[in-house]
Amino acid sequence: MKTFVVRGASFVVRGSWCVVRGSWCLGLLLLMVGSPSAQRGAISNKPDTPFRLATFEAAGRTRIGLVLGSRIIDIPGANAALVRDERLDAVPMPTDMRALIEEYSRVSARLYQIANYFRDAKLDGAPYAFELDKVAIKAPIRYPYNILAAAANYKLHAGEMFPPGSPQQKAANEADPDKEDPVFFAKSPRSCIIDPGEPFFIPPGRNIDWEGELAIVIGKPALRVTEANAHDHVFGYSIMYDLSDRGGTGRRPLTGMFPGPNWFAGKSGDRSAPFGPFILPKEFAKDHTAFHIVTKVNGVVKQDGNTKNLIWDEAHMIRYLSSILTLYPGDLISSGTPDGVGAGRKPPEFLKPGDVVTIDIDGIGTLTTPMRALPAAGTR
């Protein structure tokens, strides 16, 4: 038995019971003195408040953040504030996005608490809270191990890229995802990824195209997974601009040993993977099978598609890719582009310096990439 005095009142505690001036009460003392367990119960650790994730730069530091409306919350900073002010248990928090994805099962409950607690809070002057338009948004992951991109994954896009009545167009119209595998190519994460708002430099004489795509972010290692289990390995979704070089002048011809286009030159050019601005964790996607994608050039709609029209959907792509190699947390699958690309238009249209490409996907955000002329060697 222990006796406590709080604000002049005497408490006699026997086990979990206490006596206050002769009256019995259950747990009153613990509630009045503000125990950590009582405080923990006050902040939900469930995904009640949707959020997006971002990598951003503010006050001279690169940080990972949780996006709530027009604000972005520095995750380690907000976590430390909750531990200090609300007496929550300490949860060590990663400081880069790929590590956050790798450790999501350990830290997700705390992220939910941060979102639930700060959703409507006044944070004027808090060193861990920023207005979105006052920070520099970076590519969400620097850098994933792999960027794997699907070719011709919408029938209408495949149809616009091949001559009418050609065997390729016929094959696109008759593609069966359960009997045929997709075609993929790789982009170099380190050489190709650039931040939202960062320019692409158009080499003289090259025909540069737009391709807006949903990026699937892998959440845990995947090797030889089934279609039924594929979604379990997904972390969330973002936006990728599969910037494509459709040819032009200034390059020597390919060797005659290999017929067909040079996919490496066309898809893997330096800075050819603008990525971001945010990652939407999969638990907050309204329908992960039906993302609306709109690509604009200088404000004019060029592509208006939906991932419900993919030939090979998320499950088929992950099953196929993981049958060949291991997918790792943070890896990106660029899922293919809808119809409306420049090369498929009659006459073809390509980008020029001064153009601005925007790719919007509902629930994720808008990725903006301005076009610039390639500076002279040594000037950038």
Side-chain angles (χ1 to χ4, degrees), residues 20-335:
V20 184
R21 294 178 181 175
S23 299
W24 291 91
C25 66
L26 176 62
L28 178 61
L29 174 62
L30 294 176
L31 290 173
M32 289 186 68
V33 299
S35 72
S37 61
Q39 293 292 344
R40 280 196 295 271
I43 306 174
S44 170
N45 64 358
K46 305 300 181 185
D48 304 323
T49 302
F51 58 79
R52 296 167 293 170
L53 295 166
T55 296
F56 70 106
E57 190 174 283
R61 291 199 295 119
T62 300
R63 313 161 184 247
I64 51 172
L66 189 151
V67 179
L68 295 171
S70 63
R71 297 186 301 185
I72 186 164
I73 310 297
D74 175 86
I75 291 172
N79 178 49
L82 284 185
V83 171
R84 180 188 67 240
D85 299 338
E86 300 301 319
R87 303 185 183 182
L88 298 189
D89 292 334
V91 176
M93 197 62 63
T95 57
D96 74 89
M97 190 67 72
R98 197 174 68 192
L100 184 81
I101 294 169
E102 291 171 344
E103 300 181 46
Y104 199 66
S105 61
R106 178 180 67 81
V107 303
S108 57
R110 176 54 49 85
L111 295 179
Y112 300 153
Q113 287 180 313
I114 292 171
N116 293 331
Y117 185 83
F118 290 111
R119 173 182 53 202
D120 300 315
K122 292 183 178 180
L123 294 172
D124 296 340
Y128 48 82
F130 305 87
E131 293 299 315
L132 264 177
D133 60 0
K134 299 295 194 301
V135 304
I137 301 296
K138 302 297 184 179
I141 306 170
R142 281 284 182 90
Y143 293 95
Y145 295 112
N146 295 296
I147 302 175
L148 303 166
N153 201 15
Y154 291 78
K155 289 186 177 181
L156 290 179
H157 172 54
E160 71 181 351
M161 296 302 289
F162 300 121
S166 66
Q168 295 94 332
Q169 191 179 75
K170 183 175 184 294
N173 291 331
E174 297 175 356
D176 186 338
D178 293 321
K179 295 180 180 178
E180 301 170 293
D181 284 333
V183 170
F184 271 83
F185 55 90
K187 287 178 177 267
S188 165
R190 188 65 185 264
S191 297
C192 295
I193 285 179
I194 59 173
D195 298 327
E198 197 170 352
F200 176 80
F201 299 104
I202 300 179
R206 305 310 299 169
N207 297 328
I208 303 302
D209 208 342
W210 54 85
E211 292 196 21
E213 306 195 359
L214 176 73
I216 300 167
V217 184
I218 295 297
K220 58 184 180 180
L223 179 63
R224 293 187 289 275
V225 302
T226 65
E227 290 172 21
N229 295 328
H231 192 61
D232 294 341
H233 295 264
V234 171
F235 174 78
Y237 304 92
S238 191
I239 304 173
M240 179 71 71
Y241 176 5
D242 176 23
L243 197 147
S244 302
D245 184 331
R246 305 293 192 189
T249 61
R251 286 201 179 125
R252 292 182 294 184
L254 286 175
T255 173
M257 292 188 293
F258 301 98
N262 185 341
W263 283 82
F264 179 71
K267 293 292 190 176
S268 298
D270 203 55
R271 307 170 69 84
S272 66
F275 169 41
F278 310 127
I279 295 174
L280 178 71
K282 69 178 180 182
E283 60 266 37
F284 301 123
K286 293 180 180 179
D287 181 355
H288 76 273
T289 68
F291 284 98
H292 183 206
I293 304 173
V294 176
T295 304
K296 298 178 182 178
V297 177
N298 303 327
V300 177
V301 174
K302 299 295 185 179
Q303 294 179 285
D304 189 340
N306 197 295
T307 59
K308 67 184 179 182
N309 296 318
L310 289 168
I311 301 173
W312 290 272
D313 62 13
E314 173 185 282
H316 285 85
M317 287 188 282
I318 292 175
R319 180 212 61 79
Y320 169 70
L321 290 170
S322 71
S323 73
I324 296 171
L325 49 72
T326 301
L327 300 173
Y328 291 96
D331 280 0
L332 303 177
I333 301 173
S334 201
S335 58

